[in-house]
Amino acid sequence: MLAVDGEVGRIETVYFNTVTWVICYLCVDAVSWLPGRQVLISPVAVGEIKEKERTIYIELTRKQIAGSPPLSAGSTITRQYELEYYQYYQWIPYWELSSLLGVSRSKDALTQPSSKGTNAIKAASLACATQLKGYVLAALDGEVGIVDDFIVDTQYWLIRYLQVDTSNWQRGHVLIYTGWIKTLCWPERSVSVVLTRDVIKRAPGFEPSMRISRADEAQLFKHYGHPVYWRKENGSD
């Protein structure tokens, strides 16, 4: 991750809303210049993303980041801390925005608070995405595999898919759309979905090194017999 005036650090994980799967913060390892701190960057600050260079540019300076409310490494992100964070950057908090789709690149989102409010965003807690690695994926009729990664939509900053290793049961990896998840059970370290083992078993395979195209997504949704998510979000094909 690069700020306007230099490197910030490497992204370690993301924090997401446990109901909407909206990514609220990118967590950056900045120990080389901010030791002992957990550095959180809102997707609101993200500018250009260069995939080939594995680099995300943000529209902040290192001085701004260093002056943000400190959070000790490993500490819980409280709502009080979030209020201080958003007040410092003078941004509208994500729970006051009208959209459940995540943070748009449009800076209009910074100045247009919601007149409706969104209970799902206000009520849900935040979770660290890397916590999901190793969780069991439970279908309606039994266990399927183990969550070993996640796929992020960087247009709207959502976790779109969980990448599930099914090699102990069948072959390779499959993708599970987060909209099909029924519950996250933290004590049991499991993710329950509204799908059967058989339909998951017959799903299109996925190679972790693959880039997912819109055609791949359409094929996946067609297999599961669900309407594609982008029609609902965009109101079009």
Side-chain angles (χ1 to χ4, degrees), residues 20-21 100-101 137 151 153 158-164 174-182 191-195 200 203 212 217 220-221 224 226-233:
T20 64
W21 295 87
L100 292 176
L101 297 181
L137 184 76
I151 308 295
D153 179 335
L158 291 159
I159 297 179
R160 285 288 186 196
Y161 301 100
L162 299 184
Q163 178 181 298
V164 179
V174 295
L175 293 179
I176 299 295
Y177 174 57
T178 51
W180 302 330
I181 292 173
K182 183 170 60 174
V191 181
S192 300
V193 292
V194 290
L195 304 167
I200 296 173
I212 304 169
E217 292 185 282
L220 184 71
F221 277 76
Y224 283 109
H226 287 269
V228 295
Y229 64 82
W230 55 87
R231 290 181 182 171
K232 181 185 296 185
E233 292 177 0

Short mmCIF file of all heavy atoms in Angstrom, two decimals, residues 20-21 100-101 137 151 153 158-164 174-182 191-195 200 203 212 217 220-221 224 226-233:
data_model
loop_
_atom_site.label_atom_id
_atom_site.label_comp_id
_atom_site.label_asym_id
_atom_site.label_seq_id
_atom_site.Cartn_x
_atom_site.Cartn_y
_atom_site.Cartn_z
N THR A 20 -23.48 -7.96 6.15
CA THR A 20 -23.49 -7.55 4.75
C THR A 20 -22.25 -7.98 3.96
O THR A 20 -22.24 -7.88 2.74
CB THR A 20 -23.58 -6.01 4.65
OG1 THR A 20 -22.41 -5.44 5.23
CG2 THR A 20 -24.82 -5.50 5.38
N TRP A 21 -21.19 -8.39 4.66
CA TRP A 21 -19.91 -8.75 4.05
C TRP A 21 -19.21 -7.54 3.43
O TRP A 21 -18.28 -7.68 2.64
CB TRP A 21 -20.06 -9.89 3.04
CG TRP A 21 -20.48 -11.17 3.71
CD1 TRP A 21 -21.78 -11.55 3.97
CD2 TRP A 21 -19.64 -12.18 4.25
NE1 TRP A 21 -21.79 -12.76 4.63
CE2 TRP A 21 -20.49 -13.18 4.80
CE3 TRP A 21 -18.26 -12.38 4.29
CZ2 TRP A 21 -19.99 -14.33 5.41
CZ3 TRP A 21 -17.77 -13.52 4.89
CH2 TRP A 21 -18.63 -14.49 5.45
N LEU A 100 -25.96 -0.73 1.02
CA LEU A 100 -25.43 -1.93 1.65
C LEU A 100 -24.39 -2.59 0.73
O LEU A 100 -23.91 -3.67 1.02
CB LEU A 100 -26.55 -2.94 1.92
CG LEU A 100 -27.55 -2.54 3.00
CD1 LEU A 100 -28.65 -3.58 3.09
CD2 LEU A 100 -26.89 -2.37 4.34
N LEU A 101 -24.04 -1.94 -0.37
CA LEU A 101 -23.15 -2.57 -1.34
C LEU A 101 -21.69 -2.33 -1.05
O LEU A 101 -20.82 -2.83 -1.75
CB LEU A 101 -23.46 -2.02 -2.75
CG LEU A 101 -24.86 -2.31 -3.28
CD1 LEU A 101 -24.99 -1.73 -4.67
CD2 LEU A 101 -25.11 -3.80 -3.30
N LEU A 137 -17.04 -25.61 6.06
CA LEU A 137 -18.23 -25.22 5.31
C LEU A 137 -19.28 -26.31 5.48
O LEU A 137 -19.05 -27.47 5.12
CB LEU A 137 -17.92 -25.02 3.83
CG LEU A 137 -19.11 -24.52 3.01
CD1 LEU A 137 -19.34 -23.04 3.26
CD2 LEU A 137 -18.92 -24.77 1.53
N ILE A 151 -12.49 -13.99 -1.81
CA ILE A 151 -12.35 -13.19 -3.03
C ILE A 151 -13.04 -11.86 -2.81
O ILE A 151 -14.23 -11.81 -2.45
CB ILE A 151 -13.00 -13.91 -4.24
CG1 ILE A 151 -12.47 -15.34 -4.38
CG2 ILE A 151 -12.77 -13.09 -5.51
CD1 ILE A 151 -11.00 -15.45 -4.68
N ASP A 153 -14.35 -8.08 -4.06
CA ASP A 153 -14.80 -7.20 -5.14
C ASP A 153 -14.29 -5.80 -4.78
O ASP A 153 -14.78 -5.18 -3.83
CB ASP A 153 -16.32 -7.22 -5.21
CG ASP A 153 -16.88 -6.30 -6.30
OD1 ASP A 153 -16.21 -5.31 -6.67
OD2 ASP A 153 -18.00 -6.56 -6.75
N LEU A 158 -16.47 -5.53 -1.16
CA LEU A 158 -17.23 -6.60 -0.53
C LEU A 158 -16.42 -7.89 -0.61
O LEU A 158 -15.65 -8.08 -1.56
CB LEU A 158 -18.55 -6.85 -1.26
CG LEU A 158 -19.64 -5.81 -1.20
CD1 LEU A 158 -20.60 -6.02 -2.37
CD2 LEU A 158 -20.42 -5.98 0.10
N ILE A 159 -16.62 -8.77 0.35
CA ILE A 159 -16.15 -10.14 0.17
C ILE A 159 -17.24 -10.85 -0.63
O ILE A 159 -18.34 -11.09 -0.13
CB ILE A 159 -15.91 -10.85 1.52
CG1 ILE A 159 -14.81 -10.14 2.29
CG2 ILE A 159 -15.54 -12.31 1.29
CD1 ILE A 159 -14.50 -10.75 3.65
N ARG A 160 -16.97 -11.15 -1.89
CA ARG A 160 -17.96 -11.75 -2.77
C ARG A 160 -18.05 -13.27 -2.60
O ARG A 160 -19.14 -13.85 -2.63
CB ARG A 160 -17.62 -11.47 -4.24
CG ARG A 160 -17.91 -10.07 -4.70
CD ARG A 160 -19.39 -9.81 -4.83
NE ARG A 160 -19.65 -8.50 -5.42
CZ ARG A 160 -20.81 -7.90 -5.37
NH1 ARG A 160 -21.84 -8.47 -4.77
NH2 ARG A 160 -20.97 -6.72 -5.94
N TYR A 161 -16.89 -13.89 -2.45
CA TYR A 161 -16.87 -15.35 -2.42
C TYR A 161 -15.91 -15.86 -1.34
O TYR A 161 -14.89 -15.23 -1.05
CB TYR A 161 -16.39 -15.93 -3.77
CG TYR A 161 -17.24 -15.54 -4.94
CD1 TYR A 161 -16.83 -14.51 -5.80
CD2 TYR A 161 -18.43 -16.20 -5.22
CE1 TYR A 161 -17.60 -14.14 -6.89
CE2 TYR A 161 -19.21 -15.83 -6.31
CZ TYR A 161 -18.79 -14.80 -7.14
OH TYR A 161 -19.56 -14.44 -8.21
N LEU A 162 -16.26 -17.01 -0.80
CA LEU A 162 -15.32 -17.78 -0.01
C LEU A 162 -14.72 -18.84 -0.92
O LEU A 162 -15.43 -19.47 -1.71
CB LEU A 162 -16.01 -18.45 1.18
CG LEU A 162 -16.68 -17.54 2.21
CD1 LEU A 162 -17.21 -18.38 3.36
CD2 LEU A 162 -15.73 -16.46 2.70
N GLN A 163 -13.43 -19.05 -0.81
CA GLN A 163 -12.75 -20.11 -1.55
C GLN A 163 -12.67 -21.31 -0.63
O GLN A 163 -12.11 -21.22 0.47
CB GLN A 163 -11.36 -19.63 -1.95
CG GLN A 163 -10.52 -20.65 -2.69
CD GLN A 163 -9.16 -20.09 -3.01
OE1 GLN A 163 -9.04 -19.12 -3.75
NE2 GLN A 163 -8.12 -20.68 -2.45
N VAL A 164 -13.23 -22.42 -1.06
CA VAL A 164 -13.36 -23.60 -0.19
C VAL A 164 -12.57 -24.76 -0.77
O VAL A 164 -12.73 -25.14 -1.93
CB VAL A 164 -14.84 -23.99 -0.02
CG1 VAL A 164 -14.97 -25.23 0.86
CG2 VAL A 164 -15.63 -22.82 0.57
N VAL A 174 -13.82 -24.89 -4.73
CA VAL A 174 -15.05 -24.31 -5.26
C VAL A 174 -15.22 -22.93 -4.65
O VAL A 174 -14.64 -22.61 -3.60
CB VAL A 174 -16.29 -25.18 -4.96
CG1 VAL A 174 -16.20 -26.52 -5.66
CG2 VAL A 174 -16.49 -25.35 -3.46
N LEU A 175 -16.04 -22.11 -5.31
CA LEU A 175 -16.38 -20.79 -4.80
C LEU A 175 -17.80 -20.81 -4.23
O LEU A 175 -18.71 -21.38 -4.83
CB LEU A 175 -16.29 -19.74 -5.90
CG LEU A 175 -14.91 -19.44 -6.47
CD1 LEU A 175 -15.02 -18.38 -7.57
CD2 LEU A 175 -13.96 -18.98 -5.38
N ILE A 176 -17.96 -20.15 -3.09
CA ILE A 176 -19.28 -20.01 -2.47
C ILE A 176 -19.58 -18.52 -2.34
O ILE A 176 -18.85 -17.78 -1.67
CB ILE A 176 -19.32 -20.68 -1.08
CG1 ILE A 176 -19.05 -22.18 -1.19
CG2 ILE A 176 -20.67 -20.41 -0.41
CD1 ILE A 176 -20.10 -22.96 -1.96
N TYR A 177 -20.64 -18.09 -2.99
CA TYR A 177 -21.07 -16.69 -2.92
C TYR A 177 -21.54 -16.38 -1.50
O TYR A 177 -22.28 -17.17 -0.89
CB TYR A 177 -22.20 -16.48 -3.93
CG TYR A 177 -22.86 -15.13 -3.90
CD1 TYR A 177 -22.12 -13.97 -4.07
CD2 TYR A 177 -24.24 -15.02 -3.72
CE1 TYR A 177 -22.73 -12.72 -4.06
CE2 TYR A 177 -24.86 -13.78 -3.71
CZ TYR A 177 -24.10 -12.63 -3.88
OH TYR A 177 -24.70 -11.41 -3.87
N THR A 178 -21.11 -15.25 -0.96
CA THR A 178 -21.44 -14.95 0.44
C THR A 178 -22.93 -14.70 0.65
O THR A 178 -23.42 -14.82 1.78
CB THR A 178 -20.64 -13.73 0.93
OG1 THR A 178 -20.78 -12.64 0.00
CG2 THR A 178 -19.16 -14.08 1.07
N GLY A 179 -23.66 -14.40 -0.41
CA GLY A 179 -25.11 -14.23 -0.29
C GLY A 179 -25.84 -15.53 0.01
O GLY A 179 -27.02 -15.51 0.38
N TRP A 180 -25.15 -16.67 -0.16
CA TRP A 180 -25.76 -17.97 0.13
C TRP A 180 -25.43 -18.47 1.53
O TRP A 180 -25.81 -19.56 1.91
CB TRP A 180 -25.30 -19.01 -0.90
CG TRP A 180 -25.63 -18.64 -2.31
CD1 TRP A 180 -26.70 -17.89 -2.73
CD2 TRP A 180 -24.88 -18.97 -3.49
NE1 TRP A 180 -26.66 -17.75 -4.10
CE2 TRP A 180 -25.57 -18.39 -4.59
CE3 TRP A 180 -23.72 -19.70 -3.73
CZ2 TRP A 180 -25.11 -18.53 -5.90
CZ3 TRP A 180 -23.26 -19.83 -5.03
CH2 TRP A 180 -23.95 -19.26 -6.11
N ILE A 181 -24.71 -17.66 2.29
CA ILE A 181 -24.33 -18.05 3.64
C ILE A 181 -25.48 -17.75 4.60
O ILE A 181 -26.03 -16.65 4.62
CB ILE A 181 -23.04 -17.34 4.08
CG1 ILE A 181 -21.86 -17.86 3.23
CG2 ILE A 181 -22.77 -17.55 5.56
CD1 ILE A 181 -20.58 -17.11 3.45
N LYS A 182 -25.81 -18.76 5.38
CA LYS A 182 -26.91 -18.63 6.34
C LYS A 182 -26.41 -18.12 7.68
O LYS A 182 -26.98 -17.18 8.25
CB LYS A 182 -27.62 -19.98 6.51
CG LYS A 182 -28.82 -19.96 7.43
CD LYS A 182 -29.59 -21.29 7.35
CE LYS A 182 -28.73 -22.47 7.75
NZ LYS A 182 -29.51 -23.73 7.82
N VAL A 191 -19.15 -22.33 8.80
CA VAL A 191 -19.97 -21.47 7.96
C VAL A 191 -21.06 -22.33 7.35
O VAL A 191 -20.77 -23.33 6.70
CB VAL A 191 -19.13 -20.84 6.82
CG1 VAL A 191 -19.99 -19.92 5.98
CG2 VAL A 191 -17.92 -20.09 7.38
N SER A 192 -22.32 -21.97 7.58
CA SER A 192 -23.44 -22.75 7.06
C SER A 192 -24.01 -22.07 5.82
O SER A 192 -24.19 -20.85 5.79
CB SER A 192 -24.55 -22.87 8.12
OG SER A 192 -24.05 -23.52 9.27
N VAL A 193 -24.30 -22.87 4.80
CA VAL A 193 -24.87 -22.34 3.56
C VAL A 193 -26.19 -23.02 3.23
O VAL A 193 -26.46 -24.14 3.68
CB VAL A 193 -23.89 -22.53 2.37
CG1 VAL A 193 -22.67 -21.66 2.56
CG2 VAL A 193 -23.50 -23.98 2.20
N VAL A 194 -27.01 -22.34 2.42
CA VAL A 194 -28.32 -22.86 2.04
C VAL A 194 -28.20 -23.66 0.74
O VAL A 194 -28.95 -23.44 -0.21
CB VAL A 194 -29.35 -21.72 1.91
CG1 VAL A 194 -29.68 -21.13 3.26
CG2 VAL A 194 -28.83 -20.64 0.95
N LEU A 195 -27.26 -24.59 0.72
CA LEU A 195 -26.98 -25.42 -0.45
C LEU A 195 -26.77 -26.86 0.02
O LEU A 195 -26.42 -27.09 1.18
CB LEU A 195 -25.71 -24.94 -1.17
CG LEU A 195 -25.66 -23.48 -1.62
CD1 LEU A 195 -24.24 -23.10 -2.03
CD2 LEU A 195 -26.62 -23.24 -2.78
N ILE A 200 -23.05 -28.63 -4.51
CA ILE A 200 -21.69 -28.09 -4.37
C ILE A 200 -20.69 -29.02 -5.04
O ILE A 200 -19.75 -28.57 -5.71
CB ILE A 200 -21.34 -27.88 -2.88
CG1 ILE A 200 -22.25 -26.81 -2.26
CG2 ILE A 200 -19.86 -27.48 -2.73
CD1 ILE A 200 -22.09 -26.66 -0.76
N ALA A 203 -20.49 -28.38 -8.69
CA ALA A 203 -20.23 -26.98 -9.07
C ALA A 203 -18.96 -26.86 -9.92
O ALA A 203 -18.07 -27.71 -9.84
CB ALA A 203 -20.09 -26.13 -7.81
N ILE A 212 -11.22 -14.34 -12.01
CA ILE A 212 -12.64 -14.66 -12.20
C ILE A 212 -13.27 -13.65 -13.15
O ILE A 212 -13.27 -12.45 -12.88
CB ILE A 212 -13.37 -14.64 -10.85
CG1 ILE A 212 -12.70 -15.59 -9.86
CG2 ILE A 212 -14.84 -15.03 -11.03
CD1 ILE A 212 -13.19 -15.43 -8.45
N GLU A 217 -18.62 -16.12 -13.35
CA GLU A 217 -19.63 -15.89 -12.32
C GLU A 217 -21.01 -16.30 -12.80
O GLU A 217 -21.78 -16.92 -12.07
CB GLU A 217 -19.63 -14.42 -11.91
CG GLU A 217 -18.39 -13.97 -11.17
CD GLU A 217 -18.52 -12.54 -10.69
OE1 GLU A 217 -18.36 -11.63 -11.53
OE2 GLU A 217 -18.79 -12.33 -9.50
N LEU A 220 -21.39 -19.96 -12.65
CA LEU A 220 -21.54 -20.42 -11.27
C LEU A 220 -22.97 -20.24 -10.78
O LEU A 220 -23.58 -21.16 -10.22
CB LEU A 220 -20.57 -19.64 -10.37
CG LEU A 220 -20.53 -20.05 -8.90
CD1 LEU A 220 -19.86 -21.41 -8.74
CD2 LEU A 220 -19.78 -19.00 -8.07
N PHE A 221 -23.54 -19.06 -11.04
CA PHE A 221 -24.90 -18.79 -10.57
C PHE A 221 -25.92 -19.64 -11.33
O PHE A 221 -26.92 -20.08 -10.75
CB PHE A 221 -25.22 -17.30 -10.71
CG PHE A 221 -24.71 -16.47 -9.56
CD1 PHE A 221 -23.36 -16.16 -9.46
CD2 PHE A 221 -25.57 -16.03 -8.57
CE1 PHE A 221 -22.88 -15.41 -8.40
CE2 PHE A 221 -25.11 -15.29 -7.51
CZ PHE A 221 -23.75 -14.97 -7.41
N TYR A 224 -26.06 -23.06 -9.74
CA TYR A 224 -26.78 -23.11 -8.47
C TYR A 224 -28.24 -22.71 -8.59
O TYR A 224 -29.00 -22.81 -7.63
CB TYR A 224 -26.08 -22.21 -7.44
CG TYR A 224 -24.82 -22.83 -6.87
CD1 TYR A 224 -23.57 -22.34 -7.19
CD2 TYR A 224 -24.89 -23.92 -6.01
CE1 TYR A 224 -22.41 -22.91 -6.68
CE2 TYR A 224 -23.75 -24.49 -5.48
CZ TYR A 224 -22.51 -23.98 -5.82
OH TYR A 224 -21.37 -24.55 -5.31
N HIS A 226 -29.49 -19.69 -9.10
CA HIS A 226 -29.78 -18.41 -8.45
C HIS A 226 -29.57 -17.27 -9.44
O HIS A 226 -28.69 -17.34 -10.30
CB HIS A 226 -28.85 -18.20 -7.24
CG HIS A 226 -29.18 -19.06 -6.07
ND1 HIS A 226 -30.02 -18.66 -5.06
CD2 HIS A 226 -28.78 -20.32 -5.73
CE1 HIS A 226 -30.13 -19.61 -4.15
NE2 HIS A 226 -29.38 -20.64 -4.54
N PRO A 227 -30.35 -16.19 -9.31
CA PRO A 227 -30.13 -15.02 -10.18
C PRO A 227 -28.80 -14.36 -9.83
O PRO A 227 -28.39 -14.34 -8.67
CB PRO A 227 -31.31 -14.09 -9.85
CG PRO A 227 -31.74 -14.51 -8.47
CD PRO A 227 -31.49 -15.98 -8.38
N VAL A 228 -28.12 -13.82 -10.84
CA VAL A 228 -26.82 -13.19 -10.60
C VAL A 228 -27.01 -11.93 -9.77
O VAL A 228 -28.00 -11.22 -9.88
CB VAL A 228 -26.12 -12.87 -11.93
CG1 VAL A 228 -25.76 -14.14 -12.67
CG2 VAL A 228 -26.99 -11.97 -12.81
N TYR A 229 -26.03 -11.66 -8.92
CA TYR A 229 -26.15 -10.54 -7.99
C TYR A 229 -26.13 -9.18 -8.66
O TYR A 229 -26.73 -8.22 -8.17
CB TYR A 229 -25.04 -10.60 -6.94
CG TYR A 229 -23.64 -10.42 -7.48
CD1 TYR A 229 -23.13 -9.15 -7.75
CD2 TYR A 229 -22.82 -11.52 -7.75
CE1 TYR A 229 -21.85 -8.98 -8.26
CE2 TYR A 229 -21.54 -11.36 -8.25
CZ TYR A 229 -21.06 -10.10 -8.49
OH TYR A 229 -19.79 -9.94 -9.01
N TRP A 230 -25.46 -9.06 -9.82
CA TRP A 230 -25.30 -7.73 -10.41
C TRP A 230 -26.60 -7.20 -11.01
O TRP A 230 -26.75 -5.99 -11.18
CB TRP A 230 -24.17 -7.71 -11.44
CG TRP A 230 -24.25 -8.72 -12.54
CD1 TRP A 230 -24.89 -8.62 -13.74
CD2 TRP A 230 -23.62 -10.01 -12.54
NE1 TRP A 230 -24.70 -9.74 -14.48
CE2 TRP A 230 -23.93 -10.63 -13.77
CE3 TRP A 230 -22.83 -10.71 -11.62
CZ2 TRP A 230 -23.48 -11.90 -14.11
CZ3 TRP A 230 -22.38 -11.97 -11.96
CH2 TRP A 230 -22.70 -12.56 -13.19
N ARG A 231 -27.55 -8.05 -11.31
CA ARG A 231 -28.86 -7.54 -11.77
C ARG A 231 -29.58 -6.82 -10.64
O ARG A 231 -30.21 -5.80 -10.84
CB ARG A 231 -29.71 -8.69 -12.30
CG ARG A 231 -29.20 -9.26 -13.62
CD ARG A 231 -30.08 -10.37 -14.12
NE ARG A 231 -29.55 -10.93 -15.35
CZ ARG A 231 -30.03 -12.03 -15.91
NH1 ARG A 231 -31.03 -12.68 -15.38
NH2 ARG A 231 -29.48 -12.49 -17.04
N LYS A 232 -29.47 -7.38 -9.46
CA LYS A 232 -30.10 -6.77 -8.30
C LYS A 232 -29.41 -5.44 -7.93
O LYS A 232 -30.06 -4.45 -7.60
CB LYS A 232 -30.04 -7.71 -7.10
CG LYS A 232 -30.72 -7.16 -5.84
CD LYS A 232 -30.53 -8.09 -4.67
CE LYS A 232 -31.20 -9.42 -4.88
NZ LYS A 232 -31.11 -10.30 -3.68
N GLU A 233 -28.08 -5.44 -8.01
CA GLU A 233 -27.33 -4.25 -7.58
C GLU A 233 -27.39 -3.12 -8.61
O GLU A 233 -27.46 -1.96 -8.24
CB GLU A 233 -25.86 -4.64 -7.34
CG GLU A 233 -25.72 -5.56 -6.14
CD GLU A 233 -24.28 -6.01 -5.92
OE1 GLU A 233 -23.41 -5.59 -6.71
OE2 GLU A 233 -24.04 -6.76 -4.98
#
